[in-house]
């Protein structure tokens, strides 16, 4: 399947009505003033109009997959399993995601997610095991076992995962449904297997207007039941954007003893119902970040940045 | 695998199977799913198997259709939005079936049960797409309704079997618990079954409800709108007109006899407040009236008791109004609300023409209850297949009898293209009459669905033995929930008791709970006779009952207002 055809179909899909529900306007930034930026966001100082509220810190672990012919990355896509760990009390969550790269400034990214994996089972020789336990084995080895490539349970888990992917490609799993929609056949994904491991500490913040003391903006037209709890509790706060501050380490998993690639990134998402107005606020925040923290916009996802640095 | 992963190696397949099995039985505090299939495996699922093994391609094609957002149409009709819970439910079923494929399981009852459930979800989802496309009743549909109504007189005559022909064991044989029928727990009063169902679905009806107006689909013929509970989670339909009392009684009687229903409630004068906020473009009672008039051609004015701006005094009396001080509101002389709980995802019909469903005793027997309450509107669109979330991502499907309000006395005017329900004087004292060797039901219905056409004497006998368990206490409790004016309520009690007695008599069932009734009852109020010889003789308190209990002018003639 040629690259141009895929890109063409992909663009058509992005503009179709039913794709719009899975697309979000995002912008990513890097800066040399990382600690200052992090302190600013954590302190909830805000700009002259926008306020920050840091609401959650958690870690997540990613296992990125790619085919032998790199068809996903060449078409601006990434496919990953993600495990999120919150705290010692909350159970981790697992998801399987297909994402697109931004191909221009201020563009939208596709994100399709199979958000619950708990009921997917794989069969080893004799018994059924959950895919989440397989992922746990893989992540545990990648994180704690420097000789993972010779570890039997790592290799057997990887083998099970690979066979699950091959078996499930035509099943109703959302990233696979999306890939089939993009006319990616399983034969195009010859040799699809995990290639990259990423571990990220994420700090997530709401960005909002305080309508009680700043310029009045029409309240975000989201049903109150769908709003984050922070906004349900205070009806004068108007949710405009969402941000993530990520500190990540990426590593190839096709060889041991490789150096970690460290990446830090600040990402902003448009959450306002009127996307044009939300974009204006993103522009305002962007100018503020440039002026105060010398931020630069980046288009490449952390995944692509890591791959580029590995070359 | 190492010790860490060994901890996580759980035979979840076994757990899944146990969950399915457990759901076939009553789990404490929950209604069981029951079984869809008893003995026979329906031919409609043959295509899912090749040489008795799972056909993976067919399975995935069906599951993909039900979950893939890129599949947007069916037979050129837009498909309904796929709710997350519905997709999750389908994926659970698919996953179980795929595991059977891997294990090379031969077609057995358990696997057939799962596949049949998937098949029903698929058919009902498609049915919803088709029915959504045609909201207006076509001329052909109207003619069909007329034909069925006229045919009812002949269709519901049943030859009384002789003693030699009649097999009592067969007649009282209880069907297996299924998504369409749940035998009542004998420890629970029959009138409480409705509330029990509502509790499982987390329906939160309260006194002095405050609802927010929301953009409305404006479908059906009875004026209704969508509204949001102030808890911001639960949705409601808010309706007015002739069905709001009868729907209460009809749904609770069906629930008492083991069927799943929608959950309607009634509110009297100023007991419910509808608030208008900035989220929509209907911002006042005038906007509401204009919208209802424009779509339903009904003037809502006689149903409105109060309107204005929410004041601090109002909020002091009803704390739920506190966040809405300064907002426009309207209150009503009376109105009905029907729950749309988040736990229940509604699909299309429950497929009464499906070969298995058309011959289910529990659906065949339901015909008797339609006749008992005098329900006319039995069309397929008033049946519903739903998925109910039980918590912890467990689901069961449920067949629901929906929209039971066109009952308790129905008048039809074909020339004027109008009909009216809740007409007390139109409800006959007897639901069934004996004529020679036959019993004849007096009620007429507008759709003789295959499940009803296939009802035999024994199926109706079975349901009659259930109806016999409704005693005076339960019947009164059910009628009381409709909050009818006292004379009307009393008259309905006597009529329903009489109709019940006529059914038991016709089927020669000894009444275990005889209910005294008077078909010549007369009732006076403040020295004025309002019911005479079993008939309501005045247009009772029209100001408080703008839909009228006696005028035959229905929704298409503005209730005569």
């Amino acid at each position: 399947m040629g690259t141009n055809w895929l890109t063409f179909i992909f663009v058509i899909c992005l503009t179709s009505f039913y794709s719009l529900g899975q697309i979000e306007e995002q912008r990513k930034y890097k800066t040399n003033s990382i600690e200052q930026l992090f302190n600013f966001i954590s302190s909830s100082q805000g700009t002259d109009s926008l306020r920050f509220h840091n609401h959650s810190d958690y870690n997540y672990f990613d296992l990125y997959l790619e085919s032998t012919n790199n068809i996903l990355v060449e078409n601006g896509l990434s496919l990953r399993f993600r495990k999120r760990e919150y705290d010692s009390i909350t159970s981790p969550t697992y998801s399987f995601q297909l994402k697109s790269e931004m191909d221009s400034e201020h563009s939208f990214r596709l994100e399709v997610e199979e958000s619950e994996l708990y009921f997917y089972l794989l069969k080893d020789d004799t018994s059924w095991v959950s895919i989440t336990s397989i992922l746990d084995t893989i992540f545990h080895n990648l994180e704690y076992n420097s000789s993972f490539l010779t570890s039997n349970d790592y290799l057997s888990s990887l083998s099970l995962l690979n066979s699950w992917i091959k078996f499930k490609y035509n099943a109703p799993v959302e990233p696979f449904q999306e890939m089939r929609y993009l006319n990616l056949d399983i034969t195009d994904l010859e040799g699809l297997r995990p290639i990259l491991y990423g571990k990220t500490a994420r700090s997530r913040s709401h960005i909002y207007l305080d309508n009680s003391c700043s310029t009045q903006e029409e309240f975000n037209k989201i049903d109150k039941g769908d709003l984050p709890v922070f906004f349900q509790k205070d009806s004068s706060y108007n949710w405009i954007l969402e941000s993530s501050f990520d500190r990540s380490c990426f590593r190839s998993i096709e060889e041991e003893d490789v150096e970690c690639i460290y990446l830090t990134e600040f990402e902003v998402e448009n959450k306002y119902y009127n996307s044009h107005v939300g974009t204006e606020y993103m522009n305002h925040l962007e100018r503020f970040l440039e002026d105060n923290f010398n931020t630069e916009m980046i288009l490449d996802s952390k995944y692509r940045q890591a791959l580029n640095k590995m070359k | 695998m190492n010790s860490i992963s060994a901890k996580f190696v759980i035979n979840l397949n076994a757990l899944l199977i146990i969950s399915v099995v457990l759901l076939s039985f009553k789990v404490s505090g929950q209604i069981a799913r029951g079984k869809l299939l008893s003995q026979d495996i329906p031919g409609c699922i043959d295509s899912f198997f090749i040489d008795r093994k799972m056909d993976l391609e067919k399975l995935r094609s069906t599951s993909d259709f039900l979950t893939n957002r890129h599949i947007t149409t069916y037979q050129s009709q837009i498909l309904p939005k796929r709710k997350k819970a519905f997709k999750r439910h389908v994926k659970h079923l698919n996953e179980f079936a795929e595991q059977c494929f891997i294990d090379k399981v031969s077609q057995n009852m358990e696997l057939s049960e799962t596949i049949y459930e998937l098949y029903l979800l698929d058919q009902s989802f498609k049915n919803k797409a088709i029915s959504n496309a045609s909201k207006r009743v076509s001329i052909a549909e109207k003619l069909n309704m007329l034909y069925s109504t006229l045919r009812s007189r002949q269709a519901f005559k049943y030859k009384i079997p002789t003693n030699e022909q009649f097999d009592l064991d067969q007649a009282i044989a209880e069907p297996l618990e299924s998504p369409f029928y749940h035998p009542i727990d004998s420890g629970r009063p029959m009138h409480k079954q409705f509330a029990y169902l509502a509790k499982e679905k987390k329906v939160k009806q309260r006194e002095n409800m405050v609802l927010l107006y929301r953009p409305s689909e404006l479908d059906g013929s009875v004026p209704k709108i969508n509204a949001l509970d102030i808890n911001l989670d639960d949705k409601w339909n808010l309706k007015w007109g002739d069905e709001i009392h009868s729907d209460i009684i009809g749904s609770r009687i069906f629930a008492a006899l083991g069927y799943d229903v929608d959950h309607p409630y009634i509110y009297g004068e100023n007991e419910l407040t509808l608030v208008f906020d900035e989220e929509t473009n209907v911002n006042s009672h005038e906007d509401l009236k204009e919208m209802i008039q424009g779509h339903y051609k009904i003037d809502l004015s006689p149903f409105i008791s109060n309107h204005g701006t929410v004041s601090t005094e109002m909020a002091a009396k009803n704390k739920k109004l506190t966040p809405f001080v300064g907002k426009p509101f309207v209150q009503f002389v009376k109105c009905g609300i029907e729950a749309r709980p988040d736990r229940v995802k509604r699909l299309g019909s429950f497929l009464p023409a499906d070969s298995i469903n058309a011959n289910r005793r529990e659906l065949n027997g339901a015909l008797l209850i339609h006749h008992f309450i005098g329900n006319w509107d039995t069309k397929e669109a008033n049946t519903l297949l739903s998925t109910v979330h039980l918590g912890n991502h467990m689901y069961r499907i449920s067949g629901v009898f929906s929209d039971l309000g066109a009952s308790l006395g129905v008048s039809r005017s074909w020339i004027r293209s109008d009909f009216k329900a809740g007409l007390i004087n139109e409800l006959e004292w007897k639901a069934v009459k004996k004529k020679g060797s036959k019993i004849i039901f007096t009620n007429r219905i507008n759709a003789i669905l295959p499940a009803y056409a296939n009802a035999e004497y024994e199926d109706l006998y079975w349901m009659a033995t259930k109806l016999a368990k409704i005693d005076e206490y339960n019947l009164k409790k059910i009628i009381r929930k409709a909050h009818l004016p006292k004379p009307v309520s009393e008259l309905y009690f006597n009529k329903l008791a009489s109709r019940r007695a006529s059914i038991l008599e016709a089927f020669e069932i000894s009444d275990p709970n005889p209910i005294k009734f008077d078909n010549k009852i007369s009732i006076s109020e403040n020295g004025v006779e309002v019911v005479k010889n079993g008939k309501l003789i005045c247009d009772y308190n029209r100001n408080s009952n703008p839909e009228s209990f006696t005028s035959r002018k229905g929704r298409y003639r503005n209730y005569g207002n």
Side-chain angles (χ1 to χ4, degrees), chain B residues 54-82:
Chain B
M54 198 73 248
D55 180 351
L56 195 64
E57 199 176 318
K58 171 68 179 176
L59 169 70
R60 284 179 171 177
S61 163
T62 304
S63 302
D64 195 57
F65 173 78
L66 293 173
T67 59
N68 192 332
R69 68 190 183 96
H70 292 296
I71 301 174
T72 56
T73 60
Y74 171 70
Q75 292 185 354
S76 305
Q77 307 304 331
I78 305 267
L79 285 167
K81 188 178 172 188
R82 298 171 179 88

Side-chain angles (χ1 to χ4, degrees), chain A residues 18-20 22 110 112 114-116 118-121 123-124 127-130 133-134 136-137 140-141 153 156-157 160 164 167-174 177-178 180-181 221-225, chain B residues 1-5 8-13 16 56 60 63-64 67-70 72 78-79 84 87-88 91-92 94-95 98-103 214 228 231-233 235 278-279 392-393 395:
Chain A
Y18 283 97
S19 296
L20 283 173
Q22 309 280 99
L110 175 75
V112 174
E114 185 69 37
S115 56
E116 287 148 2
Y118 61 88
F119 57 91
Y120 288 109
L121 304 182
K123 195 163 191 190
D124 65 12
S127 59
W128 290 92
V129 295
S130 69
S133 71
I134 295 296
D136 280 341
T137 301
H140 180 81
N141 271 276
D153 65 345
S156 62
S157 296
L160 275 175
W164 182 86
F167 178 70
K168 282 297 203 190
Y169 188 75
N170 288 313
V173 178
E174 295 208 35
Q177 286 173 325
E178 193 69 27
R180 297 199 304 269
Y181 179 70
K221 283 188 196 299
I222 298 176
D223 270 349
K224 278 198 178 145
Chain B
M1 293 201 170
N2 67 20
S3 59
I4 291 172
S5 57
F8 297 103
V9 174
I10 305 163
N11 195 336
L12 285 182
N13 191 43
L16 265 174
L56 195 64
R60 284 179 171 177
S63 302
D64 195 57
T67 59
N68 192 332
R69 68 190 183 96
H70 292 296
T72 56
I78 305 267
L79 285 167
K84 237 186 202 176
K87 290 201 297 185
R88 196 184 288 128
K91 288 180 184 186
H92 287 181
N94 182 82
E95 190 60 16
E98 291 209 7
Q99 287 161 25
C100 288
F101 170 82
I102 292 172
D103 276 341
R214 281 295 172 265
L228 182 65
N231 65 16
L232 306 175
D233 266 335
K235 299 185 173 76
E278 306 82 15
E279 304 256 344
N392 293 324
H393 293 165
Y395 300 90

